[in-house]
């Protein structure tokens, strides 16, 4: 079973620290068995977050606040126009974290395809990428943490957000690639609200198909 919870979209975008606290609360409940696997979907108010491997040279130099978090990966941006998902789910034993990340990538590739966007994996780099000919641009990012056998944090899909915020950082620590959005690639305005039902259906089908405890 997968419980999908919409925390807030559009004008109800959620401050990062508020959502992080909600994640921790639900994580404890999933670990204890009080709650089923849960997927939180939301938009964040604009924020930079930095994973454990973020280097000082990758952070903004204009004094913009960065929230240091306990997920893997490096620095990224969240904000309006981007759909963020936090799957708080119990992984099967023996746990294979790399396989879990690849599963999330596959689900996001499938979601992008429903909007006419061909997403790909790039060897050695997590997330979902779009081939732009001479280079790849990232359309969805992934950063997770596994604690007590249950995942936290998750993914972010660029839907119709501005890309200006990425100019102030070295997003995900990758200097030779850019970012893009579903809207930019498809030539159609695709909002986070448009993507919610697709992601809900794909993730629900996967998690209820007994692939994950």
């Amino acid at each position: 079973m997968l419980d999908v919870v919409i925390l807030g979209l559009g004008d109800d975008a959620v401050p990062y620290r508020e959502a992080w606290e909600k994640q921790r609360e639900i994580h404890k409940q999933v670990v204890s068995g009080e709650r089923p696997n849960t997927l939180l979907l939301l938009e964040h108010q604009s924020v930079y977050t930095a994973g454990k491997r973020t280097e000082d040279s990758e952070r903004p130099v204009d004094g913009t606040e960065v929230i240091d978090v306990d997920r893997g990966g490096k620095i990224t941006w969240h904000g309006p126009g981007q759909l963020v998902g936090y799957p708080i789910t119990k992984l099967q034993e023996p746990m294979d974290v790399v396989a879990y990340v690849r599963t999330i990538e596959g689900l996001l590739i499938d979601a992008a395809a429903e909007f006419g966007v061909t997403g790909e994996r790039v060897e050695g780099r997590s997330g979902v990428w779009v081939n732009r000919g001479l280079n790849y641009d990232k359309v969805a990012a992934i950063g997770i943490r596994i604690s007590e056998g249950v995942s936290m944090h998750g993914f972010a899909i660029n839907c119709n957000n501005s890309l200006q915020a990425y100019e102030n950082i070295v997003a995900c620590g990758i200097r030779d690639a850019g970012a893009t959005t579903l809207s930019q690639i498809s030539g159609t305005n695709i909002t986070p609200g448009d993507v919610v039902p697709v992601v809900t259906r794909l993730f629900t089908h996967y998690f209820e198909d007994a692939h994950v405890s």
Side-chain angles (χ1 to χ4, degrees), residues 19-27 40 86 88 152-153:
W20 195 9
E21 182 57 37
K22 187 69 173 176
Q23 277 195 80
R24 288 191 286 249
E25 174 189 327
I26 293 175
H27 181 272
L40 304 179
Y86 297 129
I88 305 172
M152 286 184 67
H153 301 288

Side-chain angles (χ1 to χ4, degrees), residues 182-199:
L182 295 178
S183 296
Q184 186 179 71
I185 298 300
S186 68
T188 304
N189 185 38
I190 299 168
T191 70
D194 295 330
V195 181
V196 163
V198 174
V199 167

Side-chain angles (χ1 to χ4, degrees), residues 73-114:
K74 297 199 172 192
I75 193 167
T76 194
W77 171 86
H78 298 308
Q82 182 190 72
L83 180 64
V84 174
Y86 297 129
I88 305 172
T89 60
K90 190 171 292 185
L91 274 64
Q92 289 182 324
E93 295 287 351
M95 285 188 296
D96 186 335
V97 177
V98 173
Y100 178 70
V101 171
R102 296 294 171 263
T103 294
I104 300 298
E105 287 173 348
L107 291 168
L108 298 181
I109 287 170
D110 290 345
E114 296 206 16

Side-chain angles (χ1 to χ4, degrees), residues 21-194:
E21 182 57 37
K22 187 69 173 176
Q23 277 195 80
R24 288 191 286 249
E25 174 189 327
I26 293 175
H27 181 272
K28 289 179 183 178
Q29 295 170 342
V30 174
V31 168
S32 69
E34 299 172 53
R35 186 184 184 107
N37 291 328
T38 300
L39 173 62
L40 304 179
L41 294 175
L42 62 146
E43 280 179 81
H44 275 306
Q45 295 176 7
S46 186
V47 64
Y48 291 113
T49 69
K52 295 177 180 180
R53 297 189 298 109
T54 303
E55 299 176 11
D56 288 344
S57 63
E58 296 162 354
R59 295 171 180 263
V61 295
D62 60 359
T64 301
E65 181 187 19
V66 177
I67 299 176
D68 290 283
V69 296
D70 56 355
R71 60 166 170 78
K74 297 199 172 192
I75 193 167
T76 194
W77 171 86
H78 298 308
Q82 182 190 72
L83 180 64
V84 174
Y86 297 129
I88 305 172
T89 60
K90 190 171 292 185
L91 274 64
Q92 289 182 324
E93 295 287 351
M95 285 188 296
D96 186 335
V97 177
V98 173
Y100 178 70
V101 171
R102 296 294 171 263
T103 294
I104 300 298
E105 287 173 348
L107 291 168
L108 298 181
I109 287 170
D110 290 345
E114 296 206 16
F115 295 95
V117 175
T118 302
E120 302 179 26
R121 293 183 177 91
V122 172
E123 187 174 355
R125 295 178 172 180
S126 67
V128 177
W129 300 80
V130 176
N131 189 334
R132 305 302 296 273
L134 297 177
N135 65 300
Y136 283 86
D137 287 345
K138 181 176 276 192
V139 71
I142 299 173
I144 66 167
R145 178 185 181 220
I146 308 297
S147 174
E148 298 182 82
V150 175
S151 62
M152 286 184 67
H153 301 288
F155 61 86
I157 308 171
N158 290 339
C159 299
N160 63 348
N161 51 285
S162 166
L163 298 174
Q164 185 174 355
Y166 291 107
E167 297 176 5
N168 297 327
I169 60 173
V170 180
C172 303
I174 298 172
R175 299 177 186 274
D176 60 349
T180 189
T181 68
L182 295 178
S183 296
Q184 186 179 71
I185 298 300
S186 68
T188 304
N189 185 38
I190 299 168
T191 70
D194 295 330

